[in-house]
Amino acid sequence: MSVTGNQTVIRLRLGLLTLLLFAIGQGQGCQVQSSGAAETKDWWETAQFYQIYPRSFKDSDGDGIGDLNGITSKLEYLKDLGVTAAWLSPIFASPMVDFGYDISDFFDIQPEYGTLDDFRALIKKAKELDLKIILDFVPNHSSDENEWFKKSVKREKGYEDYYVWHDGKVNAETGKREPPTNWLQYFRGTAWEWNEERQQYYLHQFAVQQPDLNYRNPLVVEQMKRVLRYWLNEGVAGFRCDALPPLFEVLPDADGQYPDETVTGATDDPDDRDYLTTTYIEDRPESIDMVYQWRTVLDDHKRIYGGDSSVLLIETYSAAWFTMQFYGNRTTEGAHLPFNFNLITVMDQKGLSAQTVQEAIDLWLKNMPAGRTPNWVLGNHDKRRAASRYGVDHIDGMNMLVMILPGASVTYQGEEIGMTDGEISWEDTVDPWGCNSNPDIYEMYTRDPERTPFQWTGGSNAGFTDGPTTWLPLAGDYETVNVETELAAEHSHLKIYKMLVALRKSSKTLQNGSTKYLALTEDIFVVRRSLANSPTIVGVINFGSETKTIDLREFDKNLSGNLQLLVRSLASTKSEGTTFSAQMLSVDPAEALVLTTQ
């Protein structure tokens, strides 16, 4: 799950106000210097992370649901792609109300995904292939079927305040007990639920079945650190931390009461979370400190047991002023990589163009603390697929962009083959966000379309399962958009992706070079990576509908003479290995090119 939806637009406005202070006009560009060719980077600083949604990746037993053995069987595919680390969305024991984000046992595997032995076999195979496995850490809440919650309901010793409980308040006019505040959950409706047995309300910022843990209780803090240590000892290489903004809520006043949020005016729907502000239930400073504590757990594990660094990736759609604090400060290390969603949020608000791409990059690089590592994300299991949002014609260009820019990149399964959203009817909808709405508006909320099964072949059930059905309907284009077809093709999204990853891993320039980028025109975006005594790499993307001839000297006076084409987008008619004049480079509509100095 994620802090997604229209709320991101409200937060983005805050970030864009910061951006205005750094705004650069057309023709100026932005220069980011490297620290030199001899720089040694840790594995995660230039890693290619690949997100697997286990339920939809590969089914090994014919039940129509992806599983751990299915993932293990496809690790060689990831190795062939050039992936550094695979991040698995939650695989822990769960009633599956929110498909794994409602965890009933943080120390065991969901049975329909497999067993602990299956997980250990996956880790063993991954290590043989020199692949790292990252797990999804879900700290904000548990399932209401978790033993911790059951004990808290009964007020058992040590668990009385494991969750956020409140008596509520009595309506003076009706005499009836009501929730303590007007706070709203992400999945529509009140964020408070009455528990008859305990005779109190509990806070749930997601589904009713996902009660919020109380991080003001030291026992909860230590318990979740225990979760991290447990899986580190099982051989994982780190964690992606889910939904950090709501981890803490404001402290109650002297009378034990919480404040109400105010109406935003962003929507007329009183059940939509965007109807109210989230001043008191998101982006609290305590969340920053908690991430610092988790980083210490990871660093301590390396100090004690040795081996490679374990990585901490943080999910937040918050404004830049808050997000950048997750990196750490002068005295304390924080997350290795707070996820950078700007290539999603800026485009969702303003559309795709060279100018908005520059805005998205500026918003991160101009706010990022010195000495930290950037990262670039095109999509995930909570957002419409990248090819559907940007357009299939632009998926190669966007993949080029995130591979050329400095730092780490994250690919959501299917982006490498240009997968698009599936068509999911109201009757087939299973996502709680969609199910909590109605047939007229569910498409605004459901995340099912981006979670359809991975398309391995054009055959029965897209090669995802040998069984008769799939847990979600397949996307309609699986017969032509799939791994088998694209591997066999002379030129395909998949082959372009593999070329990009291989270039990134082999190029000292892309590993350590300085960066310059610019929206040369409204449609043409250019990025250059350069390093002393190494070939310069240049990416050129046309986001427009007309052919443009450009002079790259307007972008960088040193780009004169000829450039050799290394990688081209699928529709490009140019040929790899051909040289082109930097002074008169013709770029067709939706064409994307990666070139190098000779």
Side-chain angles (χ1 to χ4, degrees):
M1 91 205 33
S2 293
V3 183
T4 56
N6 293 333
Q7 192 74 34
T8 61
V9 175
I10 297 172
R11 293 189 185 130
L12 185 59
R13 289 171 185 161
L14 294 174
L16 290 177
L17 287 175
T18 303
L19 175 62
L20 290 175
L21 300 176
F22 299 95
I24 59 176
Q26 182 175 319
Q28 292 177 287
C30 181
Q31 182 88 22
V32 182
Q33 295 293 339
S34 71
S35 57
E39 182 177 2
T40 300
K41 288 184 165 63
D42 206 345
W43 70 266
W44 54 270
E45 294 182 89
T46 56
Q48 173 51 32
F49 294 94
Y50 185 95
Q51 183 193 354
I52 291 175
Y53 194 70
R55 200 172 185 83
S56 293
F57 193 61
K58 176 62 178 174
D59 172 28
S60 70
D61 58 12
D63 65 356
I65 297 171
D67 48 46
L68 292 178
N69 288 335
I71 295 171
T72 302
S73 73
K74 293 298 184 180
L75 288 178
E76 290 176 349
Y77 168 74
L78 300 184
K79 182 67 176 179
D80 186 54
L81 283 182
V83 167
T84 312
W87 146 38
L88 312 185
S89 290
I91 57 172
F92 312 110
S94 168
M96 289 289 159
V97 170
D98 192 20
F99 297 103
Y101 286 94
D102 50 318
I103 298 173
S104 56
D105 189 343
F106 284 84
F107 301 97
D108 204 358
I109 302 297
Q110 171 65 6
E112 62 191 347
Y113 290 163
T115 65
L116 269 171
D117 285 340
D118 293 331
F119 177 76
R120 289 163 181 155
L122 185 153
I123 291 289
K124 181 175 182 291
K125 180 68 173 179
K127 288 184 176 179
E128 290 172 358
L129 294 171
D130 194 26
L131 292 170
K132 298 181 184 297
I133 300 297
I134 310 294
L135 291 187
D136 219 320
F137 176 52
V138 186
N140 181 70
H141 48 264
S142 75
S143 165
D144 60 356
E145 295 185 22
N146 193 298
E147 285 300 313
W148 307 339
F149 185 73
K150 294 177 181 179
K151 291 179 179 181
S152 192
V153 168
K154 298 179 184 300
R155 301 177 191 263
E156 290 189 19
K157 186 176 181 179
Y159 292 90
E160 300 95 331
D161 298 319
Y162 236 64
Y163 296 82
V164 181
W165 295 98
H166 200 280
D167 291 333
K169 55 189 178 184
V170 176
N171 187 307
E173 295 182 2
T174 65
K176 292 182 179 181
R177 189 172 299 278
E178 295 179 349
T181 69
N182 65 349
W183 299 351
L184 296 170
Q185 58 159 308
Y186 289 105
F187 295 164
R188 298 179 56 78
T190 179
W192 296 98
E193 180 71 8
W194 177 256
N195 183 272
E196 190 65 27
E197 182 176 352
R198 178 157 167 148
Q199 289 289 295
Q200 280 188 309
Y201 288 94
Y202 64 84
L203 179 66
H204 62 94
Q205 296 214 50
F206 292 90
V208 170
Q209 300 89 343
Q210 293 169 289
D212 275 33
L213 288 158
N214 178 17
Y215 276 84
R216 301 192 186 279
N217 183 339
L219 295 177
V220 172
V221 172
E222 183 52 38
Q223 180 73 274
M224 299 311 284
K225 290 179 181 179
R226 179 171 163 249
V227 171
L228 295 176
R229 296 186 189 104
Y230 178 87
W231 292 106
L232 287 171
N233 289 335
E234 287 290 343
V236 306
F239 303 90
R240 172 266 189 184
C241 297
D242 176 68
L244 260 294
L247 195 65
F248 282 85
E249 57 288 327
V250 70
L251 281 166
D253 62 21
D255 295 325
Q257 300 303 311
Y258 293 109
D260 280 340
E261 297 283 1
T262 58
V263 175
T264 64
T267 176
D268 294 329
D269 184 348
D271 287 329
D272 191 310
R273 189 173 172 97
D274 292 341
Y275 185 75
L276 300 174
T277 59
T278 54
T279 304
Y280 304 117
I281 55 176
E282 287 186 15
D283 297 345
R284 310 300 302 176
E286 298 94 330
S287 298
I288 302 293
D289 178 70
M290 189 54 55
V291 168
Y292 296 175
Q293 293 187 46
W294 295 336
R295 172 65 183 266
T296 299
V297 171
L298 270 62
D299 289 348
D300 284 349
H301 187 272
K302 179 182 178 180
R303 177 176 52 82
I304 295 169
Y305 297 103
D308 293 340
S309 301
S310 299
V311 69
L312 194 62
L313 300 89
I314 299 296
E315 183 200 38
T316 170
Y317 282 83
S318 304
W321 68 266
F322 186 76
T323 298
M324 295 303 167
Q325 295 181 68
F326 282 116
Y327 271 119
N329 54 43
R330 292 181 179 179
T331 61
T332 307
E333 292 292 338
H336 297 81
L337 300 171
F339 274 142
N340 171 9
F341 297 122
N342 292 342
L343 291 172
I344 299 173
T345 55
V346 174
M347 282 69 185
D348 280 354
Q349 184 189 35
K350 295 189 172 185
L352 181 65
S353 71
Q355 298 287 356
T356 55
V357 166
Q358 180 167 325
E359 283 189 19
I361 298 172
D362 282 346
L363 189 55
W364 196 267
L365 294 184
K366 287 180 176 292
N367 285 284
M368 187 177 68
R372 302 298 177 174
T373 300
N375 68 97
W376 313 97
V377 180
L378 296 183
N380 54 49
H381 62 295
D382 287 326
K383 301 297 293 184
R384 292 293 186 262
R385 290 190 178 275
S388 292
R389 284 183 288 107
Y390 302 128
V392 175
D393 289 345
H394 293 300
I395 190 61
D396 297 327
M398 295 304 289
N399 278 331
M400 287 179 188
L401 185 65
V402 300
M403 294 296 177
I404 295 175
L405 287 169
S409 58
V410 184
T411 293
Y412 176 53
Q413 63 182 46
E415 287 174 3
E416 74 274 23
I417 61 173
M419 275 185 68
T420 53
D421 293 338
E423 294 288 337
I424 307 297
S425 68
W426 167 250
E427 290 73 21
D428 288 327
T429 296
V430 293
D431 175 35
W433 208 339
C435 291
N436 283 355
S437 59
N438 62 63
D440 295 327
I441 61 173
Y442 81 97
E443 290 179 307
M444 295 172 55
Y445 299 99
T446 180
R447 298 165 294 176
D448 291 331
E450 58 265 32
R451 299 177 178 184
T452 55
F454 192 82
Q455 295 158 199
W456 293 102
T457 74
S460 176
N461 285 326
F464 166 73
T465 180
D466 292 332
T469 60
T470 57
W471 79 281
L472 275 177
L474 295 163
D477 60 0
Y478 76 89
E479 292 182 345
T480 55
V481 179
N482 59 73
V483 171
E484 182 181 60
T485 297
E486 296 197 18
L487 281 176
E490 181 178 351
H491 197 47
S492 66
H493 297 305
L494 179 56
K495 288 192 172 180
I496 293 166
Y497 181 90
K498 290 174 65 175
M499 292 171 69
L500 291 168
V501 177
L503 176 64
R504 186 173 178 213
K505 294 176 76 170
S506 64
S507 170
K508 292 182 180 180
T509 302
L510 294 183
Q511 294 285 317
N512 296 310
S514 63
T515 306
K516 183 178 181 179
Y517 58 91
L518 175 68
L520 194 60
T521 70
E522 184 178 349
D523 297 329
I524 302 293
F525 186 82
V526 185
V527 57
R528 183 221 65 197
R529 301 294 305 283
S530 59
L531 185 68
N533 303 316
S534 296
T536 295
I537 304 292
V538 181
V540 181
I541 308 171
N542 186 349
F543 291 105
S545 57
E546 298 179 359
T547 298
K548 297 290 177 68
T549 298
I550 60 173
D551 184 349
L552 287 173
R553 292 175 301 179
E554 297 177 11
F555 166 66
D556 184 342
K557 64 182 180 181
N558 295 316
L559 289 176
S560 58
N562 291 329
L563 299 174
Q564 185 179 53
L565 180 61
L566 296 177
V567 188
R568 62 188 173 92
S569 56
L570 186 59
S572 174
T573 59
K574 296 178 175 63
S575 299
E576 285 89 354
T578 305
T579 57
F580 297 89
S581 169
Q583 290 94 311
M584 294 188 63
L585 179 63
S586 178
V587 192
D588 290 332
E591 186 174 34
L593 309 169
V594 179
L595 308 107
T596 184
T597 55
Q598 294 183 319

